[in-house]
CSV table of all heavy atoms in Angstrom, one decimal:
chain,number,residue,atom,x,y,z
A,1,LEU,N,0.8,-1.2,0.0
A,1,LEU,CA,0.0,-0.1,0.0
A,1,LEU,C,0.9,1.2,0.0
A,1,LEU,O,0.4,2.4,-0.4
A,1,LEU,CB,-1.0,0.0,1.2
A,1,LEU,CG,-1.9,-1.1,1.3
A,1,LEU,CD1,-2.8,-1.1,2.5
A,1,LEU,CD2,-2.8,-1.2,0.0
A,2,ASP,N,2.1,1.2,0.5
A,2,ASP,CA,2.9,2.3,0.4
A,2,ASP,C,3.8,2.5,-0.9
A,2,ASP,O,4.6,3.3,-1.0
A,2,ASP,CB,3.9,2.2,1.7
A,2,ASP,CG,3.2,2.3,3.0
A,2,ASP,OD1,2.2,3.1,3.0
A,2,ASP,OD2,3.7,1.6,3.9
A,3,GLY,N,3.5,1.5,-1.8
A,3,GLY,CA,4.3,1.5,-3.1
A,3,GLY,C,5.6,0.8,-3.0
A,3,GLY,O,6.5,1.0,-3.9
A,4,ASP,N,5.8,0.1,-1.9
A,4,ASP,CA,7.1,-0.6,-1.7
A,4,ASP,C,7.0,-2.1,-2.2
A,4,ASP,O,5.9,-2.6,-2.3
A,4,ASP,CB,7.5,-0.6,-0.2
A,4,ASP,CG,7.8,0.8,0.2
A,4,ASP,OD1,8.2,1.7,-0.7
A,4,ASP,OD2,7.6,1.1,1.4
A,5,LEU,N,8.1,-2.7,-2.5
A,5,LEU,CA,8.1,-4.1,-2.9
A,5,LEU,C,8.0,-5.1,-1.8
A,5,LEU,O,8.6,-5.0,-0.7
A,5,LEU,CB,9.4,-4.5,-3.7
A,5,LEU,CG,9.6,-3.7,-4.9
A,5,LEU,CD1,11.0,-4.0,-5.5
A,5,LEU,CD2,8.6,-4.2,-6.0
A,6,ASP,N,7.1,-6.1,-1.9
A,6,ASP,CA,6.9,-7.2,-1.0
A,6,ASP,C,7.2,-8.4,-1.6
A,6,ASP,O,6.5,-9.0,-2.3
A,6,ASP,CB,5.5,-7.1,-0.5
A,6,ASP,CG,5.2,-8.2,0.7
A,6,ASP,OD1,6.2,-8.9,1.1
A,6,ASP,OD2,4.1,-8.2,1.1
A,7,PRO,N,8.5,-9.0,-1.4
A,7,PRO,CA,8.8,-10.3,-2.1
A,7,PRO,C,7.8,-11.4,-1.8
A,7,PRO,O,7.3,-11.5,-0.7
A,7,PRO,CB,10.2,-10.6,-1.5
A,7,PRO,CG,10.8,-9.3,-1.2
A,7,PRO,CD,9.5,-8.5,-0.6
A,8,ILE,N,7.6,-12.3,-2.8
A,8,ILE,CA,6.7,-13.3,-2.6
A,8,ILE,C,7.4,-14.6,-2.3
A,8,ILE,O,8.4,-15.1,-3.1
A,8,ILE,CB,5.8,-13.6,-3.9
A,8,ILE,CG1,5.0,-12.3,-4.2
A,8,ILE,CG2,4.9,-14.8,-3.8
A,8,ILE,CD1,4.3,-12.3,-5.5
A,9,PHE,N,7.0,-15.3,-1.3
A,9,PHE,CA,7.8,-16.5,-0.8
A,9,PHE,C,7.2,-17.7,-1.6
A,9,PHE,O,6.0,-17.9,-1.7
A,9,PHE,CB,7.6,-16.8,0.7
A,9,PHE,CG,8.5,-17.8,1.2
A,9,PHE,CD1,9.8,-17.6,1.5
A,9,PHE,CD2,8.0,-19.1,1.3
A,9,PHE,CE1,10.6,-18.7,2.1
A,9,PHE,CE2,8.8,-20.2,1.8
A,9,PHE,CZ,10.1,-19.9,2.2
A,10,THR,N,8.1,-18.6,-2.1
A,10,THR,CA,7.6,-19.8,-2.8
A,10,THR,C,8.5,-21.1,-2.4
A,10,THR,O,9.6,-20.9,-2.0
A,10,THR,CB,7.8,-19.6,-4.3
A,10,THR,OG1,9.2,-19.4,-4.7
A,10,THR,CG2,6.9,-18.4,-4.8
A,11,TYR,N,7.8,-22.2,-2.6
A,11,TYR,CA,8.6,-23.4,-2.5
A,11,TYR,C,8.1,-24.4,-3.5
A,11,TYR,O,6.9,-24.4,-3.9
A,11,TYR,CB,8.6,-24.0,-1.0
A,11,TYR,CG,7.2,-24.2,-0.4
A,11,TYR,CD1,6.6,-25.5,-0.6
A,11,TYR,CD2,6.6,-23.2,0.3
A,11,TYR,CE1,5.4,-25.6,-0.1
A,11,TYR,CE2,5.3,-23.4,0.9
A,11,TYR,CZ,4.7,-24.6,0.7
A,11,TYR,OH,3.5,-24.8,1.3
A,12,SER,N,9.0,-25.3,-3.9
A,12,SER,CA,8.7,-26.1,-5.1
A,12,SER,C,9.7,-27.3,-5.1
A,12,SER,O,10.7,-27.3,-4.5
A,12,SER,CB,8.7,-25.4,-6.4
A,12,SER,OG,10.0,-24.8,-6.6
A,13,GLY,N,9.2,-28.3,-5.9
A,13,GLY,CA,10.1,-29.5,-6.1
A,13,GLY,C,9.5,-30.5,-7.0
A,13,GLY,O,8.4,-30.5,-7.4
A,14,PHE,N,10.4,-31.5,-7.4
A,14,PHE,CA,9.9,-32.6,-8.2
A,14,PHE,C,10.7,-33.8,-7.8
A,14,PHE,O,11.8,-33.8,-7.3
A,14,PHE,CB,10.0,-32.3,-9.6
A,14,PHE,CG,11.4,-32.3,-10.2
A,14,PHE,CD1,12.1,-33.5,-10.5
A,14,PHE,CD2,12.0,-31.1,-10.6
A,14,PHE,CE1,13.4,-33.4,-11.0
A,14,PHE,CE2,13.3,-31.1,-11.1
A,14,PHE,CZ,13.9,-32.3,-11.3
A,15,ALA,N,10.2,-35.0,-8.1
A,15,ALA,CA,10.9,-36.2,-8.1
A,15,ALA,C,10.6,-37.1,-9.2
A,15,ALA,O,9.4,-37.0,-9.8
A,15,ALA,CB,10.6,-37.1,-6.8
A,16,ALA,N,11.5,-37.9,-9.8
A,16,ALA,CA,11.2,-38.7,-11.1
A,16,ALA,C,12.1,-39.9,-11.0
A,16,ALA,O,13.2,-39.9,-10.6
A,16,ALA,CB,11.7,-37.8,-12.3
A,17,TYR,N,11.5,-41.1,-11.3
A,17,TYR,CA,12.1,-42.3,-11.3
A,17,TYR,C,12.2,-42.8,-12.8
A,17,TYR,O,11.1,-42.9,-13.5
A,17,TYR,CB,11.3,-43.3,-10.4
A,17,TYR,CG,11.9,-44.8,-10.6
A,17,TYR,CD1,13.2,-45.1,-10.3
A,17,TYR,CD2,10.9,-45.7,-11.1
A,17,TYR,CE1,13.5,-46.4,-10.3
A,17,TYR,CE2,11.4,-47.0,-11.2
A,17,TYR,CZ,12.6,-47.4,-10.9
A,17,TYR,OH,13.0,-48.7,-11.0
A,18,ARG,N,13.4,-43.1,-13.3
A,18,ARG,CA,13.5,-43.8,-14.5
A,18,ARG,C,13.9,-45.2,-14.4
A,18,ARG,O,14.9,-45.6,-13.7
A,18,ARG,CB,14.6,-43.0,-15.4
A,18,ARG,CG,14.6,-43.4,-16.8
A,18,ARG,CD,15.7,-42.7,-17.7
A,18,ARG,NE,17.0,-43.3,-17.4
A,18,ARG,CZ,17.9,-43.2,-18.4
A,18,ARG,NH1,17.7,-42.7,-19.6
A,18,ARG,NH2,19.1,-43.8,-18.1
A,19,HIS,N,13.2,-46.0,-15.2
A,19,HIS,CA,13.5,-47.5,-15.2
A,19,HIS,C,13.7,-47.9,-16.6
A,19,HIS,O,13.0,-47.6,-17.5
A,19,HIS,CB,12.2,-48.2,-14.7
A,19,HIS,CG,12.3,-49.8,-14.7
A,19,HIS,ND1,13.4,-50.4,-14.0
A,19,HIS,CD2,11.8,-50.7,-15.5
A,19,HIS,CE1,13.3,-51.7,-14.3
A,19,HIS,NE2,12.4,-51.9,-15.3
A,20,VAL,N,14.9,-48.6,-16.8
A,20,VAL,CA,15.3,-49.2,-18.1
A,20,VAL,C,14.8,-50.6,-18.1
A,20,VAL,O,15.3,-51.4,-17.4
A,20,VAL,CB,16.8,-49.1,-18.3
A,20,VAL,CG1,17.2,-49.6,-19.6
A,20,VAL,CG2,17.3,-47.6,-18.1
A,21,TRP,N,13.9,-50.9,-19.1
A,21,TRP,CA,13.3,-52.2,-19.2
A,21,TRP,C,14.3,-53.1,-19.9
A,21,TRP,O,14.4,-54.3,-19.6
A,21,TRP,CB,12.0,-52.1,-20.0
A,21,TRP,CG,11.0,-51.3,-19.3
A,21,TRP,CD1,10.7,-50.0,-19.6
A,21,TRP,CD2,10.1,-51.6,-18.2
A,21,TRP,NE1,9.6,-49.5,-18.8
A,21,TRP,CE2,9.3,-50.6,-17.9
A,21,TRP,CE3,9.9,-52.8,-17.4
A,21,TRP,CZ2,8.3,-50.5,-16.9
A,21,TRP,CZ3,9.0,-52.8,-16.4
A,21,TRP,CH2,8.2,-51.7,-16.1
A,22,SER,N,14.9,-52.6,-20.9
A,22,SER,CA,15.9,-53.3,-21.7
A,22,SER,C,16.8,-52.3,-22.5
A,22,SER,O,16.7,-51.1,-22.2
A,22,SER,CB,15.2,-54.2,-22.7
A,22,SER,OG,14.5,-53.4,-23.8
A,23,ASP,N,17.6,-52.8,-23.4
A,23,ASP,CA,18.5,-51.9,-24.1
A,23,ASP,C,17.7,-50.9,-25.0
A,23,ASP,O,18.2,-49.9,-25.4
A,23,ASP,CB,19.5,-52.7,-25.0
A,23,ASP,CG,20.5,-53.4,-24.2
A,23,ASP,OD1,20.7,-53.1,-23.0
A,23,ASP,OD2,21.1,-54.4,-24.7
A,24,LYS,N,16.4,-51.3,-25.3
A,24,LYS,CA,15.6,-50.5,-26.3
A,24,LYS,C,14.3,-49.8,-25.6
A,24,LYS,O,13.7,-49.0,-26.2
A,24,LYS,CB,15.2,-51.3,-27.4
A,24,LYS,CG,16.5,-51.8,-28.3
A,24,LYS,CD,15.9,-52.5,-29.6
A,24,LYS,CE,17.1,-52.9,-30.4
A,24,LYS,NZ,16.7,-53.6,-31.7
A,25,TRP,N,14.1,-50.2,-24.4
A,25,TRP,CA,12.9,-49.7,-23.8
A,25,TRP,C,13.2,-49.1,-22.4
A,25,TRP,O,14.0,-49.7,-21.6
A,25,TRP,CB,11.8,-50.8,-23.6
A,25,TRP,CG,11.2,-51.3,-24.8
A,25,TRP,CD1,11.7,-52.4,-25.6
A,25,TRP,CD2,10.1,-50.8,-25.5
A,25,TRP,NE1,11.0,-52.6,-26.7
A,25,TRP,CE2,10.0,-51.7,-26.7
A,25,TRP,CE3,9.2,-49.8,-25.3
A,25,TRP,CZ2,8.9,-51.5,-27.6
A,25,TRP,CZ3,8.2,-49.6,-26.2
A,25,TRP,CH2,8.0,-50.5,-27.4
A,26,ARG,N,12.6,-47.9,-22.1
A,26,ARG,CA,12.7,-47.3,-20.8
A,26,ARG,C,11.4,-46.5,-20.5
A,26,ARG,O,10.7,-46.1,-21.5
A,26,ARG,CB,14.0,-46.4,-20.8
A,26,ARG,CG,14.0,-45.2,-21.8
A,26,ARG,CD,15.4,-44.6,-21.9
A,26,ARG,NE,15.4,-43.5,-22.8
A,26,ARG,CZ,15.5,-43.5,-24.0
A,26,ARG,NH1,15.7,-44.8,-24.7
A,26,ARG,NH2,15.5,-42.5,-24.9
A,27,SER,N,11.3,-46.2,-19.3
A,27,SER,CA,10.1,-45.3,-18.8
A,27,SER,C,10.5,-44.4,-17.7
A,27,SER,O,11.5,-44.6,-17.0
A,27,SER,CB,9.0,-46.3,-18.2
A,27,SER,OG,8.5,-47.0,-19.3
A,28,THR,N,9.8,-43.3,-17.6
A,28,THR,CA,9.9,-42.3,-16.4
A,28,THR,C,8.6,-42.1,-15.9
A,28,THR,O,7.6,-41.8,-16.6
A,28,THR,CB,10.6,-41.1,-17.0
A,28,THR,OG1,12.0,-41.3,-17.3
A,28,THR,CG2,10.6,-40.0,-15.8
A,29,ILE,N,8.4,-42.1,-14.6
A,29,ILE,CA,7.3,-41.6,-13.9
A,29,ILE,C,7.7,-40.4,-13.0
A,29,ILE,O,8.9,-40.5,-12.4
A,29,ILE,CB,6.6,-42.6,-13.1
A,29,ILE,CG1,7.5,-43.3,-12.0
A,29,ILE,CG2,6.0,-43.7,-14.0
A,29,ILE,CD1,6.8,-44.2,-11.1
A,30,ALA,N,7.0,-39.4,-13.0
A,30,ALA,CA,7.4,-38.1,-12.3
A,30,ALA,C,6.3,-37.3,-11.7
A,30,ALA,O,5.1,-37.4,-12.3
A,30,ALA,CB,8.3,-37.2,-13.2
A,31,GLY,N,6.6,-36.5,-10.8
A,31,GLY,CA,5.6,-35.5,-10.2
A,31,GLY,C,6.3,-34.4,-9.7
A,31,GLY,O,7.4,-34.4,-9.2
A,32,SER,N,5.5,-33.2,-9.7
A,32,SER,CA,6.2,-32.0,-9.2
A,32,SER,C,5.1,-31.1,-8.6
A,32,SER,O,3.9,-31.3,-8.8
A,32,SER,CB,6.8,-31.2,-10.4
A,32,SER,OG,5.8,-30.7,-11.3
A,33,TYR,N,5.6,-30.2,-7.7
A,33,TYR,CA,4.6,-29.3,-6.9
A,33,TYR,C,5.2,-27.9,-6.8
A,33,TYR,O,6.3,-27.8,-6.6
A,33,TYR,CB,4.3,-30.0,-5.6
A,33,TYR,CG,3.4,-29.2,-4.7
A,33,TYR,CD1,2.0,-29.3,-4.9
A,33,TYR,CD2,3.9,-28.3,-3.7
A,33,TYR,CE1,1.1,-28.6,-4.1
A,33,TYR,CE2,3.0,-27.7,-2.8
A,33,TYR,CZ,1.6,-27.7,-3.1
A,33,TYR,OH,0.8,-27.0,-2.3
A,34,PHE,N,4.3,-27.0,-6.8
A,34,PHE,CA,4.6,-25.6,-6.5
A,34,PHE,C,3.6,-24.9,-5.7
A,34,PHE,O,2.4,-25.1,-5.8
A,34,PHE,CB,4.6,-24.8,-7.9
A,34,PHE,CG,4.7,-23.3,-7.7
A,34,PHE,CD1,6.0,-22.7,-7.6
A,34,PHE,CD2,3.6,-22.5,-7.7
A,34,PHE,CE1,6.1,-21.3,-7.4
A,34,PHE,CE2,3.7,-21.1,-7.5
A,34,PHE,CZ,5.0,-20.5,-7.4
A,35,LYS,N,4.1,-24.0,-4.7
A,35,LYS,CA,3.2,-23.3,-3.8
A,35,LYS,C,3.7,-21.9,-3.6
A,35,LYS,O,5.0,-21.8,-3.4
A,35,LYS,CB,3.1,-24.1,-2.5
A,35,LYS,CG,2.4,-23.3,-1.3
A,35,LYS,CD,0.9,-23.3,-1.7
A,35,LYS,CE,0.2,-22.7,-0.5
A,35,LYS,NZ,-1.3,-22.5,-0.7
A,36,ALA,N,2.9,-20.9,-3.7
A,36,ALA,CA,3.2,-19.5,-3.5
A,36,ALA,C,2.5,-19.0,-2.2
A,36,ALA,O,1.3,-19.3,-2.0
A,36,ALA,CB,3.0,-18.7,-4.7
A,37,ASP,N,3.2,-18.2,-1.4
A,37,ASP,CA,2.6,-17.5,-0.3
A,37,ASP,C,2.4,-16.0,-0.7
A,37,ASP,O,3.1,-15.2,-0.4
A,37,ASP,CB,3.5,-17.5,0.9
A,37,ASP,CG,2.9,-16.9,2.2
A,37,ASP,OD1,1.7,-16.7,2.2
A,37,ASP,OD2,3.6,-16.7,3.1
A,38,ASN,N,1.4,-15.8,-1.6
A,38,ASN,CA,1.0,-14.6,-2.1
A,38,ASN,C,0.4,-13.6,-1.0
A,38,ASN,O,-0.5,-14.1,-0.2
A,38,ASN,CB,-0.1,-14.6,-3.2
A,38,ASN,CG,0.5,-15.4,-4.5
A,38,ASN,OD1,1.4,-14.8,-5.1
A,38,ASN,ND2,-0.1,-16.5,-4.7
A,39,PRO,N,0.8,-12.3,-1.0
A,39,PRO,CA,0.0,-11.4,-0.1
A,39,PRO,C,-1.3,-11.0,-0.8
A,39,PRO,O,-1.3,-10.0,-1.6
A,39,PRO,CB,1.1,-10.2,0.0
A,39,PRO,CG,1.9,-10.3,-1.3
A,39,PRO,CD,2.0,-11.8,-1.6
A,40,VAL,N,-2.3,-11.8,-0.6
A,40,VAL,CA,-3.5,-11.7,-1.4
A,40,VAL,C,-4.1,-10.2,-1.3
A,40,VAL,O,-4.7,-9.8,-2.3
A,40,VAL,CB,-4.5,-12.7,-0.8
A,40,VAL,CG1,-5.8,-12.6,-1.7
A,40,VAL,CG2,-3.9,-14.1,-0.9
């Protein structure tokens, strides 16, 4: 309200697992998440 900057806090991350079935086949399953603490 005073025209000053208010930094926004965030946290995030991901994890991914890659499995090699054979010399020619492979797969990855993964998930990620983001959250912001906005001054609403």
